[in-house]
Amino acid sequence: MNNIRIIVNGEGINLIQYLVNHNIYYYDLVREKDKYIITTSIDNYKKLNRRFQCYIIRYYGKNFIINCFVNNKYMIMSLIIGLFILYLLTSTIFKININTNDENIKNLLTESLKDNGIYIYKRKKSFNELLNIKEKILSDNKDYLEWIEIKEKGCTYNVDVTPRIKKEEDTLNNEPSNIIAKKDGKILYIVSENGVKVKDINDYVKKGEVLISGNIIKGEDIIYKTNSKGKIYAEVWSSVHITMPFNYTEYIYTGRKVNHYYLDIFNYKFTIMGKYDNPNVIKSKKVVLDKPYLPFKLYKEEKKIYEYKEYILTLEEAYKKALKKSEEIINRNLKDDEYIIYKNVLKKEVFRSKIMLEVFFKTYENIGINKRIEEKEENNGV
């Protein structure tokens, strides 16, 4: 209904007779002395207004909304601007607390956060962005940081950090130590820079055996202890079990993403910007604005866009791909100075939808690690 309620100055006339004669529809007629109050349409109001003095006292339906907007346009505009400013304020970082007493760690984190776009008066990061930033900071500073957590509280980021406690082998610079084997293997290269070689080239060793001893012995007595130093590379054996389907789908991140902002009003979504409907996305959302005095919540939904490719492999293609994947698994755990010496397929099983391989590898790896000499080990490793 888009009617209005009006007052008609009907002094000296019979308004009802006039309305009937001119086919003007009305209802809820009330007479007050020489005035009439009726409800009618906006078109009928225009007809009456040409003949009588009329005043609108109430709007209904769409006209009510339009009238409210016109009469309160400055207040509504101020509210919209205020909400926009509130959004800017609530999505901006105004303070960063790094909870540590170590000034070096604090300075290191301040610079690392700044390099990753986290500093005061900067836009807040999404949950996934914070995860990626934490992983990058830990990766870039793995010698100094063990753990880091970035917590958002209002417009403040609280950063909790645990400095890395250096591994035992890193703290043995001047302490007596042996070099022991961290894996089973056959020694291919060994050189002792400090300490006494206990094993030699072509010796087979078990995990935990002493390779270079820090006990310097003369006769049957230990004359002193030293910090062992040296390099020991060995042939190490391992196997990988790998399964490769003949038909599979691979999802590839395109590097593109869409930020979708929407209002949630009583569980109904109203898009503000960035709507993107596509099944090939991974979504993550966070609340941007949620105040008890507002009847809505503002959400930001980040959508990472992926493309997918379907593969249909022949038996030979699946075999080669499985073999390559097994090599990637081994290489993932090798350092720059380590490599694969030899590989051999021990087992090959072909099924209707996949192929399964067991691949044996010989690798060239550094198997020596430092271990502090304990009291009970004084007579070992000679």
Side-chain angles (χ1 to χ4, degrees):
M1 291 177 59
N2 295 315
N3 293 335
I4 57 174
R5 193 156 179 80
I6 62 174
I7 296 176
V8 182
N9 188 350
E11 183 178 1
I13 64 155
N14 188 339
L15 180 64
I16 297 176
Q17 187 66 41
Y18 182 86
L19 295 174
V20 171
N21 292 338
H22 290 81
N23 296 319
I24 297 176
Y25 174 79
Y26 67 95
Y27 62 96
D28 289 347
L29 184 145
V30 177
R31 182 170 183 178
E32 295 180 357
K33 296 183 181 179
D34 57 347
K35 295 181 181 178
Y36 296 86
I37 301 175
I38 62 172
T39 301
T40 187
S41 68
I42 191 75
D43 292 330
N44 289 334
Y45 160 73
K46 291 177 181 178
K47 292 178 183 178
L48 287 170
N49 200 38
R50 286 195 291 266
R51 176 66 176 82
F52 306 102
Q53 190 176 22
C54 302
Y55 305 95
I56 299 173
I57 59 174
R58 186 170 182 181
Y59 292 84
Y60 298 95
K62 182 174 69 175
N63 291 325
F64 173 78
I65 298 172
I66 295 172
N67 183 65
C68 282
F69 180 81
V70 171
N71 292 335
N72 301 282
K73 59 184 177 182
Y74 295 112
M75 185 182 72
I76 293 172
M77 289 175 62
S78 299
L79 178 61
I80 293 172
I81 294 171
L83 288 175
F84 179 72
I85 293 172
L86 183 61
Y87 161 71
L88 290 179
L89 293 175
T90 54
S91 62
T92 302
I93 305 167
F94 288 99
K95 190 176 182 181
I96 299 175
N97 294 324
I98 300 176
N99 302 319
T100 179
N101 294 324
D102 189 329
E103 288 299 320
N104 292 328
I105 294 294
K106 186 176 289 188
N107 292 335
L108 174 68
L109 272 177
T110 300
E111 290 302 316
S112 296
L113 291 170
K114 188 174 182 180
D115 291 340
N116 287 279
I118 297 180
Y119 48 92
I120 58 173
Y121 308 127
K122 186 70 174 177
R123 183 184 65 84
K124 291 180 184 177
K125 303 295 183 181
S126 69
F127 177 79
N128 284 348
E129 285 176 325
L130 286 179
L131 281 180
N132 293 334
I133 288 171
K134 286 189 292 185
E135 291 175 1
K136 187 174 187 306
I137 291 175
L138 286 175
S139 175
D140 293 344
N141 302 280
K142 56 187 176 182
D143 294 331
Y144 306 100
L145 303 178
E146 182 70 35
W147 172 83
I148 181 176
E149 182 64 34
I150 305 173
K151 298 177 182 176
E152 179 184 326
K153 186 175 181 181
C155 295
T156 300
Y157 276 154
N158 292 310
V159 183
D160 297 323
V161 60
T162 301
R164 179 176 291 280
I165 299 174
K166 290 189 176 180
K167 297 179 181 178
E168 185 178 5
E169 55 264 33
D170 295 333
T171 62
L172 294 176
N173 293 331
N174 299 309
E175 294 185 26
S177 66
N178 297 322
I179 295 180
I180 66 170
K182 65 180 178 181
K183 294 182 179 180
D184 298 349
K186 176 186 174 183
I187 296 177
L188 299 179
Y189 174 84
I190 182 168
V191 60
S192 174
E193 299 175 11
N194 201 28
V196 178
K197 282 197 300 183
V198 180
K199 301 292 181 179
D200 213 332
I201 293 175
N202 293 326
D203 286 348
Y204 289 88
V205 296
K206 293 285 187 181
K207 180 180 178 180
E209 283 192 68
V210 175
L211 307 178
I212 300 176
S213 174
N215 291 327
I216 309 301
I217 297 176
K218 186 175 182 180
E220 295 184 354
D221 299 325
I222 299 175
I223 56 175
Y224 71 93
K225 302 173 186 178
T226 187
N227 172 244
S228 297
K229 295 180 182 178
K231 295 181 180 179
I232 304 96
Y233 289 88
E235 179 185 290
V236 178
W237 314 284
S238 58
S239 62
V240 174
H241 293 80
I242 195 81
T243 300
M244 179 59 61
F246 295 130
N247 299 332
Y248 68 96
T249 302
E250 187 175 284
Y251 289 85
I252 304 168
Y253 178 45
T254 63
R256 296 186 294 121
K257 61 183 179 181
V258 174
N259 291 324
H260 175 213
Y261 291 90
Y262 66 89
L263 294 175
D264 186 322
I265 304 177
F266 304 114
N267 294 324
Y268 289 97
K269 290 184 179 180
F270 298 91
T271 294
I272 297 176
M273 61 178 292
K275 187 174 183 180
Y276 183 83
D277 293 324
N278 192 301
N280 301 328
V281 297
I282 293 180
K283 303 177 184 178
S284 62
K285 72 174 183 178
K286 70 172 223 177
V287 179
V288 175
L289 183 63
D290 181 13
K291 302 296 180 182
Y293 50 82
L294 294 177
F296 61 84
K297 293 181 182 178
L298 178 62
Y299 284 93
K300 175 187 175 183
E301 187 176 53
E302 184 181 83
K303 299 180 179 181
K304 292 186 176 180
I305 304 171
Y306 285 77
E307 291 179 349
Y308 67 92
K309 185 176 181 180
E310 294 184 353
Y311 290 88
I312 301 176
L313 305 178
T314 63
L315 175 59
E316 182 180 358
E317 290 171 337
Y319 175 80
K320 289 180 179 179
K321 205 167 185 69
L323 198 59
K324 183 179 179 182
K325 204 168 188 67
S326 67
E327 291 182 21
E328 291 173 355
I329 292 172
I330 293 295
N331 283 322
R332 198 180 300 154
N333 298 314
L334 297 181
K335 298 178 182 176
D336 292 340
D337 56 349
E338 301 171 341
Y339 54 87
I340 296 172
I341 301 172
Y342 169 82
K343 66 177 180 292
N344 183 43
V345 178
L346 299 180
K347 189 175 181 181
K348 173 183 174 182
E349 292 184 283
V350 179
F351 299 92
R352 185 175 182 180
S353 61
K354 61 186 177 181
I355 183 173
M356 295 178 64
L357 299 182
E358 180 183 353
V359 188
F360 170 76
F361 287 92
K362 290 181 182 180
T363 51
Y364 183 80
E365 297 184 41
N366 183 358
I367 64 169
I369 57 171
N370 280 81
K371 183 181 179 183
R372 183 182 289 108
I373 297 176
E374 306 292 345
E375 291 292 332
K376 61 182 179 181
E377 297 177 0
E378 287 186 356
N379 295 322
N380 296 334
V382 180

